[in-house]
């Protein structure tokens, strides 16, 4: 559910040199200059090899997102592109809809031109949905086979993540996914430990299935790590319930916990029924409190809060998601998935019929006309970098940002955030990741000495800064795109 | 040439056109010369064939205005008269023909005086034998004027070019406050007044009652009142004959040097500055060099004509006539309304001007919605070309940046100015709380006139020994059953009753002296609402009154917001402070930190509210790789911030400023 939707790849897009120019600009006229002019979409279908003027192609993607849209039913908060199979049947392995979709997906992967001959081994693969665990293991295996055929042997330590829902697998199926197919990481969609809340959300499972699933996952061998996913601020969720969910989550012993704050999305059942901040949804203060509770409880239990909604035991970060947060390229396959290749972001159609058309066009080699690909402009790139890196505990690396976008931008950013550094929502860190006091921050801001001598990173504080991330990022956007 | 014209005046009318031609050719040929110009001239001549102004010596000219309370049918009557004389075609053109501005049509009001020249055949009563065709032709200038009290400045300007008025009164509503005000304007200008009781087709019409009011209030002879319905056309045939019979011809001297009153000016994209003028003495023709008595500048008249009903070139304007000239003035600032224009070569005694516009209400105008100062500057510059009654000076606010302090004739005028800026010039405007000009006197004897409360020091370091505020004399006419609440309203607004009289058994006329500040915002609406719309209201300005005034500051997180400062009466400060603070609390969104809102007099806090800090604004849901969507969501949030005005660290939405305007009942 709230999980990765889309990502990725596309070979339709040949390498364009992306690197940004570092050209200090007067603050009043922030502009971004790119070293080479982005190619218009029309050239994308050209083969990737003939760009003599391009000297430094971006590294090829080494991450792949695969969208498997099938669910038993649609949850009340969900606005992802999914296909509800219906809850009547408990056995979907021979469902022709799944078979047909996988065939289409494989066609898309095959029709995709490799990014370049320099393809590096794939390091992460993420099966998101939907409920990927509804897809029979042999079909998952066929997807991985096709990926290997297309992109070569995957890295030895490849992370293969799969979202799985309680009640959709038994020991045998799990064993097949892990031992035979090669899944190394599971993201278990628990969401809540209370039957009344699960019902309220329209989930297709109850507490009993949750407990069973946790036991199954814990007794499985061969998994490198697993994540337990929770949602906070559900309708009628009380502080006691949330405390219980956090406690049970910790005692389930996952290496990773994702905590999503409920977003009431347009067009969902929740949007029809509820208004954020109003009963039965928790008030804003309560909802913020839930976030703080999660942060405190999980940190106390030894989890690092490494991203706004992600916690993990040391060394168990979701490498696939880190690709996103570092603004690195990735392939994307399947209904509604997004890819980011060579500076071009592209989202596939969210409806099956249009997706099928898209695959046909891809096979026929006439993509350019319909593609809604967009080259990420330098300005947008800077915004993406800020927006994504601020989600993480690492924060924004000022040195690298300055190299890409110029010193004046960094300076303006620091000025705009100064009040928030003072209020403690933004933390300035030095090279050793030690916090810098506001006094020293001011010295650097006002002094003649080069910025970045002391301040190496800016991150949002946990939990207050993370809770205000939208506000703070919007302030940064005001600087990057006045 | 003038000599020729002078002699021609005494020749019989049938000969005049011929002489006129020779006069014109004689004048113009040496000036323009060349074949080409000659051609263009002859084309002009043929167009002007029907408009030989020399046929109309002063005794064949009548200049009149229509004055009325708002909604008594003034603009409809004007439409009918224009149709009746064939100036506009019946059923063609829009209703309210002379109300050309979008704002006038939308609101059904007249803001800007407009002139139209009409021609009408009429036989004097004494020459009953004359055949209709032989009846002499008259030239009539109708000057439509605004009805609202804010625009009495426009009315008095128009009246300066008239010798008489049609005083229009609704047959059902009877005399209203603006009828009284307009009557006195006309009466004091010694104009002939023709009462017209209009809308007699209404079922509730009671012309006899209205006649009685006219008699008792204005001592107008009931037998002289015309009964009309501009809607059905009833009685309209008597209007223009009465104008001719009862309004005197313009008194100017044809054989004196030119003296011409500048009535109004506006800016036209193509022609430049167009001046409306009334020729008092002498004559003027195209190509003449004229000078301004006020500035001494000399201009050459490049186009001249009458409004019939649009710009219609005639090549000449003669004594008593009203029309327009185009003279190469670069901006309307050069065209000083009320100025006397004369032939450059002669010197004349300037005509008495009329009283200049008096600015009653001041407000700061600032660019809104992230638009820039230059755009607003440009829009204001262009609009004041067509509305010379606004005063404009630049000012700077720490909260709002660069902007303008504008003086208006009244609140409606301010509103109309805003609307025109937005509609006609595409400007986006944020305005500050309107204020009136106060005078403060300090212990060291210095006096300060304050048009912007922010400019008044909150802690001046010397004591204020006295303050004065402008006052008005308000006339309120209302049915007697509403007297109680209206008296309460007026005393709440610090008014002193000056007069209380019955104008008939059930209707009362009251006069109050009120501080201008008290009627600037909301008084009229309040009055209408407590009298179910039956009260009418008008005011004229009166002298400054001593008052106990204080400056009320609004502080956000301890920092005063200059654009929100107001000056209020000491006794009302508490209440206004509370209201402003409450209003702001409602309209300022929660931010990342707590915000304190305070109202203060000097260092004394009189009201306080707190907006708690926002607790959460996070997109925790993972959109996977769909970064574009996430970015767009946050960009939207950024755009929202752009529309805010920032004071210190607090973002204030523009709506908050708009809402403060409505806090009124200080």
């Amino acid at each position: 559910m709230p999980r990765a939707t889309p990502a990725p790849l596309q070979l339709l897009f040949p390498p364009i040199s992306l690197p940004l120019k570092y050209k200090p600009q007067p603050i009043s006229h922030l502009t971004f200059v790119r070293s080479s002019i982005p190619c218009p979409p029309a050239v994308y279908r050209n083969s990737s090899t003939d760009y003599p003027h391009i000297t430094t192609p971006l590294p090829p993607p080494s991450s792949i997102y695969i969208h498997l849209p099938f669910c038993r039913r649609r949850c009340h908060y969900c606005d992802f592109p999914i296909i509800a199979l219906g809850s009547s049947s408990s056995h979907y392995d021979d469902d022709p809809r799944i078979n047909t979709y996988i065939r289409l997906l494989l066609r898309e992967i095959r029709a995709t031109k490799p990014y370049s001959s320099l393809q590096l081994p794939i390091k992460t693969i993420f099966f998101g949905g939907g409920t990927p665990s509804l897809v029979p293991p042999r079909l998952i295996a066929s997807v991985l086979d096709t990926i290997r055929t297309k992109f070569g042997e995957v890295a030895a330590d490849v992370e293969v993540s799969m979202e799985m829902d309680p009640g959709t697998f038994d020991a045998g199926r799990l064993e097949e996914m892990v031992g035979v197919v090669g899944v190394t990481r599971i993201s278990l969609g628990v969401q809540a430990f209370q039957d009344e809340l699960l019902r309220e959300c329209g989930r297709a499972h109850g507490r009993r299935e949750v407990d069973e699933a946790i036991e199954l996952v814990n007794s499985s061998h061969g998994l490198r790590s697993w994540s337990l996913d929770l949602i906070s601020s559900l309708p009628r969720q009380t502080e006691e319930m949330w405390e219980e969910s956090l406690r049970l989550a910790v005692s389930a012993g996952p290496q990773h916990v994702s905590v999503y704050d409920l977003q009431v999305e347009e067009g969902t059942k929740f949007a029809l029924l509820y208004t954020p901040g109003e009963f039965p949804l928790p008030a804003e203060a309560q909802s913020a409190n839930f976030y703080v509770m999660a942060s405190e409880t999980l940190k106390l239990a030894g989890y690092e809060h490494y991203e706004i909604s992600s916690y993990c035991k040391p060394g168990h970060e979701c490498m696939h998601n880190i690709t996103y947060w570092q603004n690195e390229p990735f392939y994307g396959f399947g209904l509604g998935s997004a890819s980011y290749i060579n500076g071009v972001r592209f989202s596939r159609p969210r409806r099956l019929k249009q997706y099928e058309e898209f695959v046909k066009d891809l096979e026929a080699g006439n993509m350019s006309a319909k593609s809604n690909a967009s080259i990420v402009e330098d300005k947008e790139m800077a915004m993406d970098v800020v927006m994504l890196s601020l989600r993480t505990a690492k924060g924004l690396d000022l040195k690298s940002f300055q190299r890409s976008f110029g010193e004046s931008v960094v300076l303006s950013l620091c000025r705009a955030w100064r009040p928030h550094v003072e209020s403690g929502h933004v933390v300035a860190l030095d090279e050793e990741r030690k916090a810098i006091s506001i006094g020293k921050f001011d010295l650097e801001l006002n002094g003649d000495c080069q910025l970045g001598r002391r301040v190496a990173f800016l991150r949002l504080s946990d939990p207050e800064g993370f809770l205000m991330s939208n506000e703070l990022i919007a302030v940064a956007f005001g600087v990057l795109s006045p | 040439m003038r000599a020729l014209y002078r002699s021609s005046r005494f020749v019989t009318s049938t000969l005049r056109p011929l002489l006129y031609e020779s006069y014109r050719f004689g004048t113009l040929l040496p000036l323009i010369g060349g074949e080409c110009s000659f051609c263009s001239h002859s084309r002009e001549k043929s167009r002007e064939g029907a408009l030989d102004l020399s046929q109309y010596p002063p005794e064949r000219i009548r200049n009149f205005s229509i004055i009325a309370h708002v909604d008594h049918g003034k603009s409809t009557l004007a439409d009918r008269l224009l149709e009746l004389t064939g100036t506009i075609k019946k059923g063609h053109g829009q209703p309210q023909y002379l109300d050309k501005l979008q704002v006038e049509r939308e609101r059904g009001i007249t803001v800007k005086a407009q002139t139209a020249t009409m021609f009408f055949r009429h036989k004097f009563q004494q020459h009953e034998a004359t055949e209709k065709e032989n009846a002499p032709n008259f030239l009539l200038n109708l000057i439509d004027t605004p009805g609202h009290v804010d625009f009495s400045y426009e009315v008095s300007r128009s009246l300066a070019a008239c010798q008489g008025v049609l005083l229009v009164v609704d047959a059902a509503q009877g005399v209203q406050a603006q009828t009284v005000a307009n009557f006195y304007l006309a009466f004091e200008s010694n104009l002939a007044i023709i009462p017209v009781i209009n809308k007699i087709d209404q079922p509730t019409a009671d012309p006899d009652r209205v006649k009685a009011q006219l008699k008792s209030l204005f001592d107008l002879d009931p037998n002289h009142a015309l009964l009309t319905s501009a809607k059905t056309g009833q009685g309209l045939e008597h209007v223009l004959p009465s104008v001719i019979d009862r309004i005197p011809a313009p008194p100017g001297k044809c054989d004196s040097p030119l003296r011409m009153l500048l009535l109004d000016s506006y800016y036209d994209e193509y022609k430049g500055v167009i001046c409306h003028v009334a020729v008092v003495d002498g004559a003027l023709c195209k190509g003449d060099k004229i000078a301004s008595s006020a500035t001494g500048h000399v201009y050459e008249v490049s186009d001249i004509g009458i409004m019939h009903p649009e710009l219609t070139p005639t090549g000449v304007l003669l004594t008593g006539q009203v029309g327009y000239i185009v003279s190469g003035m670069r901006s309307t600032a050069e065209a000083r309304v009320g100025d006397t224009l004369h032939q450059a070569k002669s010197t004349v005694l300037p005509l008495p001007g009329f009283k200049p516009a008096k600015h009653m209400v001041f407000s700061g105008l600032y660019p809104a919605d992230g638009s820039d100062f230059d755009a607003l500057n440009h829009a204001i510059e262009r609009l004041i070309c067509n509305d010379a009654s606004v005063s404009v000076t630049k000012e700077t606010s720490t909260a709002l940046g660069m902007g303008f302090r504008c003086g208006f004739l009244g609140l409606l005028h301010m509103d109309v100015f805003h609307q025109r800026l937005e509609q006609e010039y595409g400007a986006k405007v944020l305005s500050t709380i309107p204020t009136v000009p106060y005078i403060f006197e300090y212990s060291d004897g210095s006096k300060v006139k304050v048009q912007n409360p922010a400019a008044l020091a909150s802690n001046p370091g010397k004591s204020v020994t006295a303050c004065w505020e402008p006052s008005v004399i308000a006339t309120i006419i209302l049915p007697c059953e509403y007297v109680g609440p209206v008296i309460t309203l007026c005393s709440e607004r610090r008014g002193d009753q000056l007069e209380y009289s019955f104008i008939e058994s059930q209707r009362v006329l009251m006069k109050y002296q009120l501080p201008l500040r008290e009627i600037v915002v909301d008084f009229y609406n309040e009055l209408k609402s407590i009298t179910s719309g039956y009260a009418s209201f008008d005011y004229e300005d009166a002298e400054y009154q001593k008052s106990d005034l204080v400056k009320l500051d609004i502080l956000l997180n301890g920092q005063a917001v200059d654009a929100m400062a107001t000056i209020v009466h000491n006794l009302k400060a508490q209440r206004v402070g509370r209201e402003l603070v409450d209003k702001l609390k409602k309209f300022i969104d929660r931010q990342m930190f707590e915000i304190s809102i305070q109202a203060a007099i000097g260092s004394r806090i009189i009201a306080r509210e707190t907006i708690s800090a926002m607790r959460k604004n996070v997109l925790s849901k993972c959109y996977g790789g769909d970064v574009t969507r996430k970015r767009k969501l946050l960009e939207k949030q950024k755009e929202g911030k752009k529309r805010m005005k920032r004071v210190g660290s607090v973002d204030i939405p523009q709506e908050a400023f708009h809402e403060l305007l409505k806090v009124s009942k200080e």
Side-chain angles (χ1 to χ4, degrees), chain B residues 579-644:
Chain B
E579 266 185 70
L580 288 172
V581 163
D582 288 347
K583 202 71 143 193
L584 279 173
K585 177 170 183 173
K586 227 158 76 200
F587 282 88
I588 295 181
D589 293 325
R590 288 182 311 143
Q591 284 161 43
M592 288 178 52
F593 38 81
E594 187 178 273
I595 302 167
S596 76
I597 309 170
Q598 296 165 308
I601 299 169
S603 48
R604 186 162 56 94
I605 305 297
I606 57 166
R608 182 193 166 103
E609 278 291 344
T610 306
I611 298 177
S612 60
M614 187 198 307
R615 284 305 320 278
K616 188 191 89 171
N617 189 353
V618 57
L619 265 183
S620 86
K621 175 173 162 177
C622 185
Y623 285 99
D626 202 350
V627 172
T628 314
R629 179 175 170 195
K630 222 182 298 187
R631 189 210 306 134
K632 282 184 177 151
L633 283 170
L634 292 171
E635 273 183 286
K636 233 165 115 187
Q637 193 162 340
K638 177 207 79 183
E639 287 306 314
K641 283 191 186 302
K642 230 163 76 178
R643 291 199 63 247
M644 306 267 196

Side-chain angles (χ1 to χ4, degrees), chain B residues 197 206-216 220-227:
Chain B
I197 299 174
D206 188 355
D208 290 336
R209 200 185 109 226
V210 179
K211 281 182 186 171
Q213 289 173 0
L214 292 172
K215 173 71 185 155
S216 71
L220 291 172
D221 186 342
N223 299 320
H224 287 165
L226 303 177
L227 300 186

